[in-house]
Structure formats: structure tokens, C-alpha cells
Amino acid sequence: MWSVYPDHFALFGPTTLPAHCYVRLMLELHLVLPPGPGRRAAVETALRDAIRTGRLVAGTRLPSTRVLAGDLGVSRSTIVGAYEQLSAEGFVASRHGQGTIVADVPTGRTGVDDEDLMGPTPTWDFRPGEPDPTSFPRREWMQSVRRIVSDPSGDAMAYPDPRGRIELRHALAAHLARTRSVVTDASGLFVYGGFAAGLGFLADAFRQRSITRIAVEEAMLPMHRIVLRMAGLEVDPIRVDDQGIVVDDLASTKAQAVLVTPGNHYPYGITMSPDRRAQLVGWAELAEAWIIEDDYDGEYRYDRRPIGALQALAPHRVVYAGTASKSLAAGLRLGWLAVPEELRHPLTAAANLRSGVSAIDQLALADFIDRGRLDRHVRAMRRTYDRRRRQLIQRLGAEVPELTPNPCAAGLHLCVPVASPRVERDILERAEAADVGLLGLSTFHRAPETRAGVTIGFSRPPEHAFAAGTDRLVEVLRG
Ligand SMILES: Cc1ncc(COP(=O)(O)O)c(C=O)c1O
């Protein structure tokens, strides 16, 4: 299946991750069964290859037979049989109380090789996540970069403040106040190499303050769950309903922090209701817990003015997170946190050259914002994406009426529920065969019984390929 997440397994090995992550990572390692009979043999071959090539290293605990059967869409007895066969061959060993563990067999692999950890890019790319690369405002960006690097003082060439260049923090504070109602100033802003990096630093700061449990939405960007786990936090998934995260469920956990996407739940496409926002803030006040608001695509709202950030309700309890990955380009690796007073010291203490990003890029973004170019670019892209979104909804309604997207007029993707995990898998298999990139909801949650569906990103295809790509997509969805 297509993925949009790097192969962490190859990078970090298995030891730092809990068992449930392996399932996801195994799927990302293309542990995908070809359709047709002989499922048990196919499972055995896929696992044998993964072990032989070193993708599954010695000591890795394989998922339980129930979980793997659910993830791969086969019966449990198929997995039991495959594990028994691999055990007889010496590829795995079953240990009482520990499950099935990968045995120490010679592999042809010596470490991370030069294969691209992001995997291949489909020709017709409807995976959610990134803006149209051809829309990047190249000329204006280059003008900003040129201004920065030709500054005769050479100021941009020095090591930057590890919290981020002050020029960018000032520009962001004003921009976020104006466009997202965020309450902060330059001293509360920290710049990182994308939200993923900022989340890692924040999780480290939580650990230092003896915060060990964080709640997350039941479906989420898997990479963020991994970042939290790698920082040593226990992660509690919480149900999401049509108003957002279910705060009553959250209140019954011992979580001291929660990571949410209130503007547009990722990937379900649900805007957190005003009541739920108030309830969430109420919980945080009472529990003296922290809310991390991941406002990854808050700029893109199509039915009304963008809904202001939750952070404005409780700036002393909410860490607001923003990114350039949707508004400009993910390749910039620029993200920021607006941090409550109490967390600034630990984050400043943790800030060092490891957290820094290119001063040239930071200053270019500050210049780009100050000149009003980010506003202009987002306004133009909002129109483009709104048109694409409406075209897509119209085509689905006319040609595949049984697939109705969740009604969220925001963001860069549609979330289309389907009847069962089996239907989801069928669509994804057809998409892969047609070289159409789609992601299923199973990419985003751990439990097979959670919702089934597909996410259709409408931002990635270049403008010239959108219509032809949509034709392909509709064919795939029609089956
Ligand atoms: C839910 C969510 N949050 C945040 C981000 C942005 O992360 P980053 O700034 O690390 O690119 C993404 C990008 O895909 C995302 O899907």
C-alpha cells in the first residue's frame, strides 16, 4: 500500500517502539499480500522476506495473531499456521508470555541503505498531506532568499538563536494573532524543523516535568504517536465523535496532556464544536493538564472565515502548533510552537543547536510574511483548493453516490467512510494497481474495529493533472 511516512523501522530498529507500532510499520514495509488464494503462504513469504532482508530484526515481537489477522484481512488461523511454519523453519520463536519473536538469522542487510525511506510516489497522487508542489511561490520566495543572503552584514550566516531567529518569531507572533487569533508574543514562540521536531522537544520537556502519559485522538498521524513514544511517554488513544475528541473518555484517564487537531480532525475531517472546545479546556484547567493544539491546516476553511485557534480560550494551558508544511511546502521543514509561560523555561533549556533550522530559511520566511506574501499565497491557494474540493464532491456525488465524504469544509483532504475494512482494502488495492495514491483510515489508527474509510487528498496533484487524475480516481472508486 502507499504510504507517506518514512520507514522508521529501518532507521531506528524495533527496540524503542511498542508492539502496536510494528503492525503499522510492517504495513509500511510493504508487508502486503497479493490478492488471490494461498494467503497463508503469502503471509509466510512476506514475513520470511522481511526477516531475511533485515527489515524485521532479531528480537522484534511480532503482533498477536488476532491483530495481524485484522490488519492483513485474513483469518486468525492463517496467521497461526504461518507463525507455526516460520517457527519450525527457525525464523521466529514463540516464548511463553512474550508472544512470537523474530529469531537471530543471518540477513543480507548491514544498516540503512540508500533506498528512499519515503517510498515511491504514485503517478496520480491523492494521498493527503502536502500542497501542490508546482504552486510553490518560487519567484517571491527566491526574492526573499536573495535579500537575506545578499545582506552585506552576513548576519544570516551565524548560528541562529536555538529558539528561532527573533525576526521570524516577531513575524509569526503578528501573523498568528491576525490570522488564527493566537495569543502570544515573540518570547513565547519556538521554531523547529517542522511540528514533528517541535513535538519531540515538547515531549522531552514533559518528561523532565514528570509528565508520563499523554492522550491522543484514536486516529492520528502515526508519526506523531511514534515521536511521543520515542520520548518515553505512554500514549492513550481517545475516541473521536462528530464533535471531536470525547472529553468524558479523556477525563477517565490519567493523562496529563493531550494532543488534538480541533480545527480539522486528522484524518476524519471533523471540526471540534464550541461546546467540546469549552469542555476540553475545562478538563485541562481541572486536571492541570496541557493541551497541544495541532493547527496544521487552519488556513484552509471554505465555508466561512477560518475558525480561530482553541489556544485563545486558554493561552496558559494550550501549546499552539503551526507549520509551513501545508501553507507553503513540507520540504521547508519549518514549524513553530506558541508556548505557555510555564513551559518556556524547560523548552529554552532543551533548545540547542539540535533544535535549530537554517537561519537563511527562517529569515526568508520572516521576510515573506512581513511583505504580505504568505497571506497572498494562502488566499490564492484557498481558492484553488476550494474549487478542487467542490469538483471532487460533485463527481463523487454524481458517479459514486454510495461514497459520501464527511461534511467538513476545511483542510486539504476528504474523508470518505466505507462500510467495512474489507471495502477499504479493496479500494486501496484497486488504487495501487491503477497507480492512484490513496490512504485508508487503517493507516491512522491502531484498532481494526475503528472506522473504515479512505482519505482523498486534493492538494497534491499539480493543477494540470488534477482533472485527469480525478478521472482515474473515480474509476478506482467505482470499482
Ligand atoms: C496532522 C498533522 N499535523 C501536523 C503536520 C505537519 O507536520 P510537519 O510540520 O512536521 O510537517 C501534518 C503533516 O502532514 C499533519 O498531517
Side-chain angles (χ1 to χ4, degrees), residues 107-437:
T107 70
R109 185 151 183 170
T110 51
V112 177
D113 52 31
D114 58 2
E115 111 197 20
D116 184 350
L117 296 175
M118 296 307 292
T121 300
T123 304
W124 312 100
D125 197 352
F126 288 89
R127 296 170 302 167
E130 292 185 34
D132 171 358
T134 62
S135 72
F136 185 78
R138 291 175 169 73
R139 201 168 52 85
E140 293 85 350
W141 184 260
M142 289 309 291
Q143 284 167 352
S144 292
V145 171
R146 194 169 301 116
R147 259 191 295 277
I148 299 308
V149 295
S150 52
D151 172 4
S153 76
D155 180 44
M157 306 307 155
Y159 283 117
D161 183 318
R163 294 167 300 175
R165 284 288 305 224
I166 189 68
E167 296 87 341
L168 178 56
R169 292 189 284 135
H170 275 302
L172 282 172
H175 176 77
L176 295 173
R178 190 165 42 76
T179 59
R180 308 291 306 119
S181 312
V182 172
V183 181
T184 191
D185 56 22
S187 63
L189 277 160
F190 290 71
V191 177
Y192 295 101
F195 172 55
L199 183 62
F201 279 92
L202 190 58
D204 287 344
F206 283 161
R207 281 296 309 250
Q208 280 160 24
R209 294 167 64 86
S210 304
I211 292 173
T212 54
R213 291 200 90 88
I214 183 164
V216 296
E217 292 159 325
E218 67 183 11
M220 65 184 294
L221 194 66
M223 162 140 23
H224 292 167
R225 191 187 301 131
I226 292 171
V227 167
L228 296 169
R229 296 294 318 222
M230 288 183 72
L233 296 179
E234 295 290 328
V235 179
D236 293 328
I238 307 291
R239 221 157 32 95
V240 173
D241 66 15
D242 60 359
Q243 295 198 58
I245 193 164
V246 177
V247 178
D248 290 339
D249 288 7
L250 173 59
S252 68
T253 70
K254 292 199 163 60
Q256 299 140 293
V258 63
L259 169 60
V260 282
T261 48
N264 181 19
H265 174 265
Y266 192 83
Y268 292 165
I270 290 165
T271 305
M272 194 182 288
S273 68
D275 285 352
R276 198 56 68 77
R277 284 168 187 244
Q279 200 190 356
L280 182 61
V281 168
W283 165 80
E285 298 283 17
L286 201 67
E288 296 184 6
W290 301 105
I291 299 171
I292 309 170
E293 175 178 21
D294 176 7
D295 191 40
Y296 61 103
D297 66 3
E299 303 88 351
Y300 296 112
R301 184 91 214 174
Y302 308 112
D303 55 344
R304 45 173 296 155
R305 280 166 48 78
I307 295 173
L310 169 78
Q311 188 259 8
L313 294 178
H316 57 288
R317 279 276 145 229
V318 181
V319 179
Y320 171 90
T323 179
S325 292
K326 313 286 176 176
S327 54
L328 281 169
L332 282 174
R333 305 312 302 130
L334 276 168
W336 40 88
L337 301 180
V339 178
E341 193 90 41
E342 205 181 316
L343 290 173
R344 291 181 196 172
H345 179 69
L347 275 175
T348 305
N352 51 43
L353 291 174
R354 201 159 63 97
S355 60
V357 268
S358 153
I360 297 170
D361 289 341
Q362 291 189 53
L363 290 168
L365 180 57
D367 182 79
F368 197 80
I369 293 173
D370 288 342
R371 287 170 192 276
R373 293 192 157 158
L374 183 58
D375 283 344
R376 184 146 28 110
H377 177 64
V378 166
R379 264 200 308 276
M381 294 317 295
R382 205 184 283 135
R383 281 194 295 274
T384 301
Y385 294 143
D386 186 24
R387 172 176 39 77
R388 292 185 184 193
R389 185 180 154 277
R390 279 188 280 112
Q391 281 171 357
L392 209 46
I393 292 174
Q394 193 270 329
R395 296 269 318 253
L396 293 182
E399 296 173 60
V400 210
E402 65 278 17
L403 295 183
T404 308
N406 285 346
C408 182
L412 303 180
H413 74 275
L414 299 178
C415 177
V416 183
V418 299
S420 69
R422 179 74 253 167
V423 176
E424 175 183 320
R425 263 192 306 277
D426 287 349
I427 293 177
L428 296 182
E429 278 172 15
R430 290 203 301 273
E432 187 162 25
D435 207 8
V436 170

